[in-house]
Structure formats: C-alpha cells, structure tokens
C-alpha cells in the first residue's frame, strides 16, 4: 500500500454497495493508506447522492463532530458529488472548497402520541398515505398562516435540498448561504393560488394534520419515514453543521446557481 505523504490529513474511505462503487473502492484501497471513519479527519465517499445523504446521516448519528466529506460520483445524478477521478486525489483534497450545510430537525408526533426526532439534510416532507387528500394546518413561528391546506403534501427544504424534491414540486431554488428555507406545497387543491413561501432559516414551521384518522399522513426526513403522524415541527439545527468538500471548478454553490438556467 502506498502511504499518503507526511502531513496529510487522516482519511477514511466509504463506498456504496453498488458494483462500480465497490470496484472503485478496491482500486483506491490499494493506492493510499486509510483509517476508520472514527479516526479520520476527512471522509472520501464513493457512490451517488443517496449514498452521500446516508453517509452524512451516519455521521450525525455518531459521536463527535461530523468529518468533512469529499464525494466522488459513481451513481446517477451526483449533484452532491465530485467527478470520479482517482488521479491526483491528494492535490484535489488539498484544493477542495468547503461548504457548510445546516440540517433541519424534524420532530414528528404520531397519532399514538409517540414522538420521533430525525435530521434532514435535503427536506422534510409530509405526504398523504391514501387516496384521500391531506388536510393540514400550517403554523409559522407560532402563528397559524393557513388554517386548512388541502393537498397531496407539503415540504420544507434547505438550500442544499432545494434542487431536489423541492424543485420537482415547483419550489424555488435557494442559493447556498442565503439563510432561507422553502415551504412548498405538493399538488395543492385549496387554497388554489397558494404556491408556497420563502422563509428565513430561523423560522419554526409546524404542520398539524386535520382529520388524521380519515386522512392519514406520513412524514419523511430525507430517507426516514414516520407513518400516521398527527403533528410535525421543523427547525434548523445549527449545532450540527456538516461540511462538504468540492473541487474549486465544480463547487456546490455554482451548481445551484446553474440549476436556475437549466433547460
């Protein structure tokens, strides 16, 4: 195994279970020294956006401060990833630009009274579980702003997640560092002309399910789903900031800006 040059930060390697990611991990494992994630100062992640989210959630659930992550795309879209290119990895890591991403915290209370808490890096979404339209009461900073929203669902997105599900639901793209969140309805029926809101990221959003027995609703924080919720409270968690690393010519803020001009 070829050791990294002296003075380089300790690095951990994680990979998606897909074939291309496993093959790439095997190639890298034989070329550099790696350590366990718990001992690392930088994590190199191989896979797609879904695996990147999984890696970040694993770090949020672990002990200590989350490590900066440099992802290389071996998935489909790879919006949160850099190009897969093993050559010159030391130089790329040394030149990488850091971007801070602040996750949301979802506190979901079920109809059974149980409370579930989960972080969300992209978005928290509420979705109807049956053919019945969901009916939701929307509260912003303890003030009811929509007494009844009839819809398929609603979501709260971070700037990093604003180009994902939020954009597909016709929500706004939020520049990284804008200190904003998007509140976006999914197929709203009433009020017909309400298309969502852009809010300061200090905002606390509460969503209460009306008629939860007749119109059951699930809540999803990125990939973690809670069924049959009665109420969901959402706020930014500034105590758990994450750091993503990008090649200077392929940085996250530039990609988010470019999405506003995509055909």
């Amino acid at each position: 195994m070829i050791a990294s040059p002296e003075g380089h930060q300790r690095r951990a390697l994680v990979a998606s279970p897909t074939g291309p990611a496993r093959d790439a991990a095997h190639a890298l494992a034989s070329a550099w020294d790696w350590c366990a994630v718990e001992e690392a100062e930088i994590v190199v992640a191989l896979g797609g956006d879904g695996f990147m989210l999984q890696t970040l959630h694993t770090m949020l659930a672990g002990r200590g401060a989350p490590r900066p992550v440099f992802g290389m795309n071996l998935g489909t879209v790879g919006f949160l990833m850099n190009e897969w290119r093993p050559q010159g990895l030391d130089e790329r890591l040394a030149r990488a630009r850091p971007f801070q991403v602040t996750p949301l915290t979802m506190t979901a209370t079920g109809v059974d009274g149980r409370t579930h808490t989960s972080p969300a890096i992209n978005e928290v979404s509420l979705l109807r579980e049956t053919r019945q339209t969901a009916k939701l009461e929307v509260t912003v900073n303890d003030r009811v702003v929509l007494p009844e929203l009839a819809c398929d669902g609603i979501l709260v997105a971070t700037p990093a997640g604003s180009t994902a599900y939020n954009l597909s639901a016709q929500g706004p793209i939020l520049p990284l560092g804008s200190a904003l969140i998007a509140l976006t309805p999914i197929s709203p029926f009433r009020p017909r002309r309400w298309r969502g809101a852009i809010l300061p990221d200090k905002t606390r959003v509460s969503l209460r399910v009306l008629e939860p027995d007749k119109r059951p609703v699930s809540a999803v924080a990125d990939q973690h789903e809670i069924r049959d919720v009665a109420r969901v409270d959402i706020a930014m968690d500034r105590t758990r900031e994450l750091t993503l690393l990008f090649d200077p010519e392929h940085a996250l803020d530039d990609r988010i800006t470019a999405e506003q001009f995509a055909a």
Side-chain angles (χ1 to χ4, degrees):
M1 182 178 291
I2 302 171
S4 299
E6 187 176 351
H8 278 226
Q9 292 177 301
R10 296 187 302 277
R11 297 172 298 199
L13 179 65
V14 295
S16 165
T18 64
R22 285 201 310 268
D23 292 344
H26 180 73
L28 287 180
S30 61
W32 282 276
D33 279 329
W34 303 95
C35 64
V37 171
E38 295 76 14
E39 302 169 356
E41 295 169 274
I42 292 178
V43 174
V44 175
L46 308 179
D49 288 335
F51 183 71
M52 173 61 85
L53 288 176
Q54 179 182 329
T55 300
L56 295 174
H57 276 276
T58 299
M59 280 204 258
L60 286 174
R63 296 180 179 178
R67 285 77 171 168
V69 183
F70 183 90
M72 286 195 280
N73 186 33
L74 287 151
T76 305
V77 178
F79 191 83
L80 298 174
M81 314 297 278
N82 296 281
E83 177 188 359
W84 160 245
R85 183 163 33 91
Q87 298 82 8
L89 182 57
D90 286 326
E91 292 75 16
R92 291 176 73 188
L93 292 175
R95 294 175 59 241
R97 288 179 60 190
F99 289 88
Q100 271 63 52
V101 174
T102 305
L104 299 163
T105 291
M106 174 188 82
T107 303
T109 303
V111 294
D112 59 3
R114 296 173 62 187
T115 299
H116 309 265
T117 302
S118 181
I121 296 155
N122 273 357
E123 75 278 318
V124 172
S125 54
L126 272 67
L127 304 164
R128 65 185 175 101
E129 294 179 6
T130 68
R131 61 181 177 80
Q132 293 279 8
T133 299
K135 289 190 176 180
L136 308 171
E137 176 190 79
V138 181
T139 299
V140 171
N141 292 335
D142 301 319
R143 183 171 69 91
V144 175
V145 293
L146 286 176
E148 182 177 295
L149 170 65
C151 57
D152 280 355
I154 192 171
L155 61 84
V156 178
T158 66
S162 66
T163 58
Y165 191 8
N166 174 71
L167 182 58
S168 297
Q170 309 300 313
I173 294 175
L174 304 176
L176 205 63
S178 62
L180 299 170
I181 56 175
L183 179 63
T184 302
I186 302 168
S187 301
F189 180 63
R190 287 198 180 92
R192 281 193 186 278
R193 287 185 291 276
W194 189 66
R195 290 295 178 265
I198 298 173
L199 304 169
D201 66 3
K202 296 179 181 179
T203 302
R204 291 171 286 107
V205 177
S206 297
L207 304 164
R208 186 168 68 91
V209 181
L210 307 177
E211 305 177 42
D213 294 329
K214 180 182 179 182
R215 304 171 184 274
V217 170
S218 64
V220 184
D222 287 342
Q223 301 156 335
H224 182 212
E225 181 182 18
I226 305 297
R227 304 281 290 182
D228 301 327
V229 297
R231 178 188 174 96
V232 176
D233 297 294
I234 304 157
M236 281 281 190
D237 184 354
R238 300 187 183 282
T239 67
R240 309 174 82 187
E241 278 198 334
L242 298 158
T243 302
L244 301 183
L245 301 174
F246 288 90
D247 292 318
E249 66 277 8
H250 206 52
L252 184 60
D253 55 348
D254 294 335
R255 294 196 204 183
I256 291 176
T257 299
E259 280 294 315
Q260 298 182 74
F261 302 95

